Structures are given as C-alpha cells and as structure tokens.
Amino acid sequence: YTMRVIQTHTQHTRTCTLTHAQVLVDGKNFEAALSDFKTALDLTPDSYLITRARLVAGRALAHEGVSAWREALQDYTLA
C-alpha cells in the first residue's frame, strides 16, 4: 500500500512539474523552466519514453530561450 501511495505521489509531482515547466516557458521564464524540466526528468523512469521525449523537447525550447543553441540541438536530437 505504501509503495503505491509513493508511486502515485511521484507521478502527480512529475505531472505538475511538467505542467509548471511548460507554463514557465510560455511566460519566458526559461531558467526556472530548465530547473523544472530537470526535476521532472529526474522523477521520470527511463521506461516512460513518450513522457521523457516531451520533457526533453520542452527543455530544448527552454534552452533556445536562453540562447543555449548547442544544448537545444542536443535535446531536440534526443527527443
């Protein structure tokens, strides 16, 4: 039971962090978005391929926002 509660909480936290990161990108707060995307990626298992691809693509957009072109290209390639 406890493990299921932890998994549900982690999934909820990951979803909220992704949504918050996307809002930060829309608001042009790219540095904060990069931090949120990192947190969300840290919480997302490698087996969640679609979710990780969305996170990495969002992070790429945030990298663009701070003119980190190399990092953006790496993330777009990875996504």
Side-chain angles (χ1 to χ4, degrees), residues 16-17 23 25 33 37 45 49 54 58-59 68 74:
C16 288
T17 305
V23 168
V25 168
F37 281 119
L49 298 177
R54 288 181 180 148
R59 185 176 67 184
Q74 288 172 343

Side-chain angles (χ1 to χ4, degrees), residues 20-30 33-34 37 58-59 61-62:
H20 189 250
Q22 292 168 330
V23 168
L24 289 169
V25 168
D26 290 345
K28 303 200 182 315
N29 191 346
F30 301 113
L34 286 168
F37 281 119
R59 185 176 67 184
L61 191 57

Side-chain angles (χ1 to χ4, degrees), residues 2-18:
T2 302
M3 192 60 169
R4 186 170 184 185
V5 169
I6 291 170
Q7 289 172 340
T8 301
H9 181 268
T10 301
Q11 181 178 0
H12 177 73
T13 301
R14 180 176 54 245
T15 302
C16 288
T17 305
L18 168 60

Side-chain angles (χ1 to χ4, degrees), residues 34-51:
L34 286 168
S35 176
D36 275 14
F37 281 119
K38 180 188 180 323
T39 299
L41 280 162
D42 289 345
L43 293 171
T44 304
D46 291 339
S47 61
Y48 288 46
L49 298 177
I50 294 172
T51 301

